[in-house]
Amino acid sequence: MTAALQVRNLSAEYSTSTGVVRAVHDVSFELRRGETLGLIGESGCGKTTIGQALLNNLEAPGRIAGGQVMLGDIDLLSLSGKALRRTRWDRIAMVPQSAMHALNPVYRVGDQIAEAIELHTSATHQAALARARELLDMVGVDPGRARDYPHQFSGGMRQRVAIAMALSCEPEVLICDEATTGLDVLTEAQVIGALRDMQRAFELSIIMISHDLHMIGRVSDRIAIMYAGRLVEVAPAEDVRTDPRHPYTQGLLSAVPALTAEPQHLEPIPGLVPDLRHLPPGCRFAPRCPFAIDECDHDIPPLIETVPGAQGDRRLVACIRDGDLVGKQSA
Amino acid sequence: MLGRLLGGRMLQYVMLIVVILVLNFMLPRAMPGTPLAFLAGEDVGLMTTEQREEVMAQHGLDRPLPHQFARYMGNLLQGDFGYSFQQRRPITDILMERLPWTLLLAGANLVLTTIIGVLVGAVAAWRRGGRADAGLLATFVFMAAMPSFWIGMILVAVFAAQLGWFPVYGAYSTYAGLTGWERIVDIGRHLVLPLTSLVFISVSSVFFTMRYSMLSVLREDYISMARAKGVPERLVKYRHAMRNALLPVLTIFMLNLGFIFSGAVVIETVFAYPGIGRLLFQAVLTRDYPVLQATFLLITMTVIIANIVADLLYPLFDPRVRVR
């Protein structure tokens, strides 16, 4: 089975007045066909930059510094101009964090969805508009509201509109960047429900970007954990919950309360996320890591295959102490 | 509904207009000296007692205030703004004679300023930080900082006095007896220098508003989203960015529209252009209070009307202002 999306050695950086900041460093992963891959990390770790880079839509002062984003045998990052415009949205689309800001306030939502269809197909405006209404209906929005403007929708309804817009050209890959952040839990559940239905209907492969471990844990098949611009662990969602390998993942889990468990003691990760301009030379998590040894400061640990967990699927971790620590993590 | 919102706002405007009319009525009566001095100016000293009483009676100034107010309102409703003792003519005639010239000068300025400011402002924003942007920014700061009388005088000195390309003053050649096409060309030639000066000093506000507005719109997520959707760059600029960036410019346009009669006072004076602005200036110099009073009323009403028009137009351009 081929991957829906293959990301190889992706790096992205921002030029700032105080120098170049590499927000995404040598990130590689694959998105399997039909799966939901969660991408999780703290604010500023490079999640959103990855999302934009996957669409080759990083705006200045941001810049892709290297790598490949393979959609089948096309490298999206090598495309530009018309070829890029044609491929993007047709095969890979995005649901943005805040549809409030991602929808143009002066145009009707139906027209905004139809615009994408018209640009990618030979459909007339009427046909595109009819399709837009169908899409709205599919994601649970009254098709009659195609004539409404973005400000007339509630937060949850707006996210559904954004989903309909992302699906307008029936893409293979959908990137959801904090697509449910800021919604109340009920609305979040509804929006995720709509996404799941669409995943089945369109055979979508989805990348869910979020900082919300609970939500990601519920919806993802596999989870990639990011820290300071690098991936530190990639594993099946269930393995991440029951058997986290990387010390950062362990810290992340013990810092988040479980809804179902007994009242428990939460352990915050000591220290702060490093400044991307002044990174430690070796492992970026080493200064905050309870298991760090001197060697951790020497080289950047590569993301390599490790012993599979209970799920039996292959898993990757970027920690030189991985072998020593198996079975020793704080429970 | 839209009607109810506008109804409420219109009621506010009606109340505002009543207040302005009352103030305008009270103005001469609140000034030191008799209303007669206000009407006739310094001539009052030369009048005999009989003459004074005659003028007082003629204008109803010997009647009680409510009567005077009713008469004042009645006259205004009939388009009668009173009488200028200085010019010995009805003020309505004077205003009607001046209005077309100011409308021509200030109207042309409003149109040109908006078009130039919007286009150049948008281009500067699209090339933010580039050479063109820096050059335009410097140019428009320079233009904004220029005193209006000074640029007027420079233009007169160079293009009228030195080169002789354009007339020095006025709106048309007085005794040439030109008709038809020749008259239009003559008026056009007289218009060039005052219009250029006016555009020079007023275009910057539109430019800066448009540039800033475009820059903030370009940072919006929906612009990035439009690009992601596959919208070509040209359409991103015009269909998605321009439409939104124009909204603050509409506000500036409406403000300028409100000041259409009073915005050109200095330029009309420098070029002896026979518009409302110059009338105002002359009335101040000669203490022609009735003319001042009438001009102020005209200017105030224009500002209010421009506001009303803005309230009516906004919902057409920005759906967020519409009431569900």
Side-chain angles (χ1 to χ4, degrees):
Chain A
M1 192 171 64
T2 53
L5 190 76
Q6 184 87 46
V7 179
R8 292 187 196 134
N9 309 99
L10 178 67
S11 292
E13 56 194 25
Y14 291 89
S15 322
T16 70
S17 51
T18 51
V20 173
V21 176
R22 184 153 285 204
V24 175
H25 206 130
D26 202 17
V27 166
S28 301
F29 63 88
E30 62 167 20
L31 175 67
R32 297 173 188 166
R33 225 168 266 287
E35 79 166 340
T36 300
L37 176 69
L39 181 61
I40 196 158
E42 291 165 80
S43 302
C45 73
K47 307 186 298 279
T48 296
T49 307
I50 286 193
Q52 293 292 335
L54 291 183
L55 282 164
N56 195 359
N57 196 36
L58 209 51
E59 307 246 336
R63 189 178 85 76
I64 287 163
Q68 289 178 319
V69 174
M70 302 300 295
L71 261 171
D73 48 9
I74 300 174
D75 176 10
L76 203 65
L77 299 186
S78 70
L79 301 181
S80 64
K82 207 170 171 191
L84 176 62
R85 281 203 303 274
R86 234 183 351 220
T87 309
R88 197 160 57 193
W89 221 256
D90 194 44
R91 302 190 56 186
I92 178 167
M94 170 175 239
V95 180
Q97 170 165 10
S98 165
M100 174 79 239
H101 302 291
L103 295 169
N104 194 324
V106 300
Y107 294 116
R108 301 177 197 278
V109 297
D111 290 333
Q112 296 192 50
I113 298 171
E115 184 183 31
I117 300 172
E118 283 169 70
L119 286 164
H120 288 276
T121 64
S122 54
T124 62
H125 183 67
Q126 281 314 310
L129 210 52
R131 178 69 184 143
R133 281 194 213 98
E134 278 174 37
L135 286 162
L136 285 174
D137 196 25
M138 288 180 79
V139 295
V141 177
D142 172 13
R145 300 203 64 189
R147 290 183 55 78
D148 283 352
Y149 291 91
H151 72 277
Q152 293 170 298
F153 289 82
S154 66
M157 282 294 155
R158 239 172 348 232
Q159 286 306 134
R160 289 168 190 251
V161 170
I163 293 170
M165 189 153 96
L167 297 178
S168 55
C169 300
E170 303 183 17
E172 303 143 40
V173 176
L174 191 63
I175 298 162
C176 300
D177 181 11
E178 303 273 14
T180 61
T181 304
L183 301 177
D184 62 82
V185 277
L186 263 177
T187 315
E188 177 181 272
Q190 289 167 353
V191 170
I192 286 173
L195 266 175
R196 280 233 171 102
D197 293 345
M198 294 305 104
Q199 183 166 31
R200 242 168 278 138
F202 289 87
E203 294 169 3
L204 286 167
S205 314
I206 298 180
I207 297 178
M208 285 290 268
I209 301 176
S210 179
H211 64 273
D212 182 349
L213 192 59
H214 272 309
M215 188 275 286
I216 288 289
R218 276 203 314 277
V219 305
S220 307
D221 300 308
R222 293 189 306 138
I223 297 178
I225 295 115
M226 212 174 163
Y227 183 77
R230 297 185 70 98
L231 287 186
V232 293
E233 183 162 2
V234 180
E238 191 54 30
D239 283 348
V240 169
R241 198 174 67 77
T242 56
D243 175 23
R245 298 279 169 82
H246 196 282
Y248 175 64
T249 315
Q250 296 169 10
L252 212 52
L253 281 167
S254 51
V256 177
L259 283 176
T260 48
E262 294 291 303
Q264 66 196 109
H265 178 66
L266 296 181
E267 195 65 54
I269 303 175
L272 293 169
V273 183
D275 181 347
L276 288 174
R277 269 160 294 206
H278 305 102
L279 287 169
C283 173
R284 293 175 178 190
F285 187 62
R288 301 170 74 185
C289 180
F291 310 108
I293 52 175
D294 287 350
E295 282 77 54
C296 291
D297 288 329
H298 293 167
D299 296 301
I300 298 176
L303 186 69
I304 47 171
E305 191 147 359
T306 179
V307 189
Q311 300 301 305
D313 199 352
R314 76 191 275 258
R315 48 188 301 182
L316 307 167
V317 68
C319 180
I320 53 166
R321 299 208 61 197
D322 179 45
D324 320 336
L325 293 173
V326 174
K328 284 191 208 159
Q329 69 272 11
S330 50
Chain B
M1 259 315 288
L2 186 69
R4 205 171 51 204
L5 173 90
L6 283 179
R9 209 169 285 171
M10 286 307 147
L11 193 69
Q12 288 177 11
Y13 281 126
V14 169
M15 276 157 44
L16 186 61
I17 289 170
V18 169
V19 170
I20 284 161
L21 289 173
V22 172
L23 281 179
N24 201 53
F25 168 76
M26 293 306 292
L27 203 62
R29 289 160 180 84
M31 281 171 54
T34 63
L36 192 59
F38 170 85
L39 275 178
E42 286 158 0
D43 291 355
V44 153
L46 305 170
M47 286 178 170
T48 64
T49 314
E50 289 80 41
Q51 278 174 324
R52 289 184 193 186
E53 276 168 4
E54 195 197 317
V55 175
M56 292 279 277
Q58 193 187 336
H59 290 272
L61 294 176
D62 50 349
R63 312 285 298 276
L65 269 186
H67 278 97
Q68 292 186 27
F69 186 70
R71 187 187 154 121
Y72 158 84
M73 285 301 296
N75 286 343
L76 277 185
L77 286 177
Q78 290 168 41
D80 180 359
F81 282 87
Y83 189 82
S84 165
F85 280 77
Q86 303 275 345
Q87 302 200 28
R88 309 201 181 282
R89 292 171 66 199
I91 292 169
T92 308
D93 290 2
I94 302 175
L95 288 178
M96 290 315 284
E97 190 180 284
R98 303 290 188 123
L99 263 177
W101 297 114
T102 290
L103 281 179
L104 177 65
L105 177 60
N109 174 53
L110 196 55
V111 172
L112 279 181
T113 309
T114 307
I115 293 174
I116 297 173
V118 162
L119 292 181
V120 181
V123 168
W126 291 335
R127 306 189 178 177
R128 182 186 193 176
R131 264 233 195 107
D133 183 32
L136 288 170
L137 212 52
T139 310
F140 279 87
V141 167
F142 174 74
M143 279 163 49
M146 196 83 74
S148 51
F149 65 88
W150 190 76
I151 175 70
M153 283 157 65
I154 295 287
L155 288 181
V156 168
V158 175
F159 294 99
Q162 289 279 328
L163 296 168
W165 291 355
F166 299 104
V168 177
Y169 66 87
Y172 52 91
S173 305
T174 319
Y175 299 113
L178 299 172
T179 50
W181 179 245
E182 285 183 322
R183 182 168 155 81
I184 293 173
V185 171
D186 181 55
I187 291 173
R189 279 170 43 87
H190 279 84
L191 189 63
V192 171
L193 292 186
L195 182 57
T196 309
S197 328
L198 210 49
V199 169
F200 211 89
I201 56 170
S202 39
V203 71
S204 298
S205 66
V206 181
F207 169 82
F208 287 122
T209 308
M210 184 65 192
R211 180 177 176 276
Y212 181 75
S213 163
M214 180 61 89
L215 282 179
S216 46
V217 167
L218 288 178
R219 274 195 293 271
E220 293 285 346
D221 288 349
Y222 57 76
I223 297 299
S224 161
M225 201 63 184
R227 290 204 181 99
K229 260 190 341 188
V231 180
E233 199 54 29
R234 195 175 48 82
L235 284 181
V236 171
K237 282 176 178 173
Y238 288 96
R239 191 192 284 171
H240 286 272
M242 191 71 131
R243 178 65 208 282
N244 281 284
L246 276 176
L247 296 174
V249 177
L250 182 64
T251 309
I252 297 277
F253 180 85
M254 284 303 163
L255 280 174
N256 289 340
L257 185 67
F259 291 106
I260 194 163
F261 292 125
S262 52
V265 175
V266 174
I267 293 297
E268 284 185 7
T269 306
V270 169
F271 287 92
Y273 206 81
I276 298 284
R278 183 164 148 80
L279 176 70
L280 188 68
F281 183 71
Q282 287 170 323
V284 170
L285 285 185
T286 59
R287 303 194 187 194
D288 194 341
Y289 294 114
V291 167
L292 278 180
Q293 189 191 16
T295 316
F296 285 149
L297 186 61
L298 178 72
I299 290 170
T300 318
M301 295 303 279
T302 318
V303 172
I304 293 175
I305 289 166
N307 269 290
I308 294 174
V309 173
D311 273 346
L312 293 172
L313 279 184
Y314 254 111
L316 296 181
F317 289 93
D318 189 350
R320 284 164 294 186
V321 186
R322 279 173 225 169
V323 179
R324 258 181 280 179

